[in-house]
Amino acid sequence: MFVALTLQTSNCHNLNLRSPGEMSETCEQMSSFRWAFRFGSWTPCRSDWLFAARCVQPEEKERIGKFVFAKDAKSAMAGRLLLRKFVCEEMHIPWTQIHLERSPRGKPYLAAPVQVGPEEQLAWSFNISHQGDYAVLAAEKGSQVGIDVMKTTMPGSSTVPEFFRIMTRQFTPHEWHVIQSAGSERQQLTMFYRHWALKESFIKAIGTGLGFNLQRLEFHLSSEALTQGHVLSHTRMHLDQEDEEDWLFEECLLDADHHVAVGLRTMKKQNCSSPTTSLPSPPAFMLLSFNDLIASASPLTEEDPDYWESFKLKPEAPVRQRDPQHGPEPC
């Protein structure tokens, strides 16, 4: 039976939570988690920021403190807290014993392998993304997972056609046809970022990084419209012109401007004849509050008052060149 995500706190909100009756049987016990935190509307007070800083590893605290803009610092802090919350609450590792490291290409992982009992045969895979106003996490047991969130924004210093010209090599002719046939410039940008998030979710799942030739990937979108409150899972990926049946892609909207893609590669099991058909209905994202993020947190270091003094002097975000009258936009 698929295990749905449930949280006890009243500060946790459903973006599209499925009821238990919508769960489906699988040939293996599988677990999926989809969490989102809107850091763009988070205005931490002194005590919250200092407590958050105490609950991440010292090297991460230092890295976060080096960001020029407050929004980038909040984004990175939220991502680390999401990871630690998942490992603590769902992998049952005490907060103070969690040590996260990054692969050479930046993918987070647990520094020491977790010892699991015979009842837990499938390894966890988890990934985060933060862009626009959200930090998001996807975690799977028994699947490789990658996630990417993108906010649809107008290019800051060029026209849409010029922006597309610069990005020509990132998509195939088929993908460009879909993007440029979407309608208005805003709709074309939305379709552009939708394709970009799909490609990034795959790259992040395999942990390859920027060296991967994105034209090797071609996405064929679901014929179903992408709308808020609904998760699509029928988009197909071709790799080197071959349909990749082992890969499944979930797509959803967190709000009108933020698109999320989750890429999943399921480990083949002898009792599972088709990985893409044996998976349960795609799970919905759960919107977490700051209190949710720190519900299980324990301090790792002493309080550092100077960390708050430095943070409160940071400008929120860079001012976009094309739209200064609307104030700071997401970087």
Side-chain angles (χ1 to χ4, degrees):
M1 180 69 72
F2 176 72
V3 182
L5 171 60
T6 58
L7 296 177
Q8 299 299 317
T9 173
S10 61
N11 290 321
C12 183
H13 307 284
N14 302 340
L15 291 179
N16 180 26
L17 182 62
R18 293 178 299 123
S19 67
E22 295 175 299
M23 300 177 193
S24 57
E25 292 289 341
T26 68
C27 57
E28 285 281 352
Q29 274 204 331
M30 301 288 286
S31 294
S32 301
F33 293 87
R34 305 288 184 269
W35 292 345
F37 175 71
R38 190 180 177 99
F39 65 81
S41 58
W42 177 37
T43 306
C45 63
R46 182 181 185 275
S47 60
D48 284 351
W49 186 250
L50 290 181
F51 183 76
R54 296 179 66 195
C55 294
V56 298
Q57 291 162 209
E59 66 273 18
E60 292 294 343
K61 174 191 166 187
E62 181 180 359
R63 182 181 68 87
I64 292 167
K66 291 179 179 178
F67 283 109
V68 173
F69 298 106
K71 193 167 187 180
D72 294 331
K74 292 188 295 181
S75 166
M77 184 70 78
R80 303 317 286 182
L81 292 175
L82 276 171
L83 281 172
R84 298 187 72 88
K85 174 184 175 68
F86 170 75
V87 173
C88 177
E89 295 182 3
E90 307 306 332
M91 299 181 70
H92 310 295
I93 301 175
W95 191 283
T96 56
Q97 295 179 27
I98 298 168
H99 187 76
L100 295 165
E101 291 189 359
R102 296 174 184 270
S103 72
R105 292 187 168 89
K107 189 169 184 177
Y109 67 93
L110 279 173
V114 182
Q115 299 298 317
V116 297
E119 74 284 354
E120 197 167 2
Q121 298 295 325
L122 300 178
W124 280 105
S125 174
F126 50 81
N127 196 223
I128 60 168
S129 177
H130 32 78
Q131 200 270 340
D133 296 324
Y134 286 90
V136 292
L137 173 142
E140 289 284 323
K141 185 182 288 185
S143 298
Q144 282 179 268
V145 64
I147 187 170
D148 197 58
V149 57
M150 293 299 300
K151 181 179 182 180
T152 299
T153 55
M154 298 298 287
S157 59
S158 64
T159 65
V160 172
E162 176 64 13
F163 176 61
F164 284 172
R165 186 191 67 78
I166 295 169
M167 302 298 289
T168 297
R169 294 186 178 183
Q170 309 306 323
F171 298 101
T172 68
H174 166 78
E175 291 170 329
W176 276 120
H177 174 74
V178 173
I179 291 167
Q180 295 177 313
S181 301
S184 67
E185 286 193 343
R186 177 77 178 185
Q187 290 169 322
Q188 290 179 46
L189 279 170
T190 297
M191 192 61 71
F192 171 91
Y193 286 119
R194 181 176 174 183
H195 280 82
W196 185 265
L198 284 164
K199 295 203 176 195
E200 280 290 313
S201 71
F202 171 79
I203 295 300
K204 294 179 71 177
I206 63 175
T208 300
L210 298 176
F212 193 93
N213 179 6
L214 293 182
Q215 285 217 6
R216 293 179 60 195
L217 304 176
E218 182 173 277
F219 283 90
H220 294 253
L221 304 185
S222 168
S223 59
E224 223 178 325
L226 184 62
T227 57
Q228 282 184 249
H230 183 57
V231 183
L232 297 185
S233 59
H234 298 297
T235 288
R236 303 299 306 148
M237 182 186 73
H238 291 189
L239 176 61
D240 297 329
Q241 302 182 344
E242 296 289 334
D243 186 13
E244 292 293 311
E245 296 183 355
D246 292 346
W247 283 89
L248 177 74
F249 292 87
E250 301 169 0
E251 298 183 85
C252 69
L253 293 172
L254 297 179
D255 58 27
D257 296 324
H258 290 81
H259 175 266
V260 180
V262 178
L264 300 165
R265 184 178 186 179
T266 303
M267 299 175 186
K268 289 185 178 180
K269 297 293 176 181
Q270 61 181 4
N271 294 327
C272 290
S273 59
S274 175
T276 57
T277 57
S278 64
L279 290 175
S281 299
F285 273 83
M286 301 291 288
L287 183 61
L288 308 182
S289 70
F290 177 69
N291 286 339
D292 296 321
L293 286 185
I294 62 170
S296 301
S298 296
L300 307 177
T301 58
E302 296 297 319
E303 187 172 285
D304 179 5
D306 289 342
Y307 202 71
W308 168 253
E309 296 302 319
S310 173
F311 174 76
K312 72 178 185 179
L313 294 176
K314 298 178 188 290
E316 178 64 16
V319 177
R320 290 174 61 85
Q321 296 179 28
R322 290 188 64 192
D323 202 16
Q325 69 271 26
H326 288 95
E329 288 278 348
C331 56

